[in-house]
Amino acid sequence: MKRILFFILGMITFVLGTIGLFLPILPTVPFYLATSFLWINSSKKWHDYFIQTKWYKAHMEGIIERKEMTRSQLSKILGIVLITLAIPFFIVPSTLVRVILVLVFVAHCVFLPMYFRRKEEVY
């Protein structure tokens, strides 16, 4: 029963991640990471299938295996984080909450590039 549930949830996160390739507001990476985790726990066959897909190879392989991220990928992630944190920043009238949101965004800007080595894009 657990394997079936993980497989179904993995299919849902895979579809959402694939839709995220075309909709900039829907994040691809977290959904593909969730898909990988769920399919690892559901079936080795489905996990092997997932890591052979062109979407995984294009968007996740460098991030997961070599901790590399292109400037474009980093910019997209930081853009999504900025939008996500800007919404409560403008809605919530608390100065303390706004300061914390700014600090969280600054921490993302500082530590994400440190964690992921940047891979130069080939044009």
Side-chain angles (χ1 to χ4, degrees):
M1 180 67 178
K2 178 179 156 185
R3 289 179 177 265
I4 294 170
L5 179 63
F6 279 165
F7 175 74
I8 292 170
L9 290 174
M11 290 297 291
I12 292 169
T13 57
F14 180 73
V15 168
L16 289 173
T18 303
I19 292 170
L21 292 173
F22 305 103
L23 295 176
I25 195 69
L26 193 63
T28 301
V29 174
F31 285 119
Y32 278 176
L33 287 172
T35 300
S36 181
F37 170 78
L38 292 165
W39 280 353
I40 284 171
N41 290 310
S42 71
S43 167
K44 179 158 175 42
K45 176 180 123 180
W46 282 106
H47 175 260
D48 292 343
Y49 166 76
F50 176 68
I51 62 173
Q52 295 302 317
T53 61
K54 66 180 177 179
W55 299 290
Y56 175 85
K57 289 186 180 294
H59 298 283
M60 300 296 300
E61 189 172 46
I63 294 171
I64 292 175
E65 293 180 10
R66 296 179 301 278
K67 291 186 182 176
E68 292 178 339
M69 186 177 289
T70 63
R71 287 184 186 170
S72 173
Q73 290 170 323
L74 184 61
S75 298
K76 287 178 186 176
I77 288 174
L78 290 176
I80 291 170
V81 170
L82 176 64
I83 291 168
T84 303
L85 295 177
I87 294 169
F89 182 86
F90 290 113
I91 292 175
V92 178
S94 170
T95 305
L96 178 63
V97 170
R98 289 181 174 174
V99 168
I100 291 171
L101 290 170
V102 168
L103 290 174
V104 168
F105 181 69
V106 169
H108 275 84
C109 291
V110 170
F111 294 112
L112 270 179
M114 288 172 59
Y115 180 75
F116 292 108
R117 297 184 306 257
R118 279 198 229 139
K119 181 177 77 175
E120 295 301 319
E121 296 180 32
V122 178
Y123 295 102

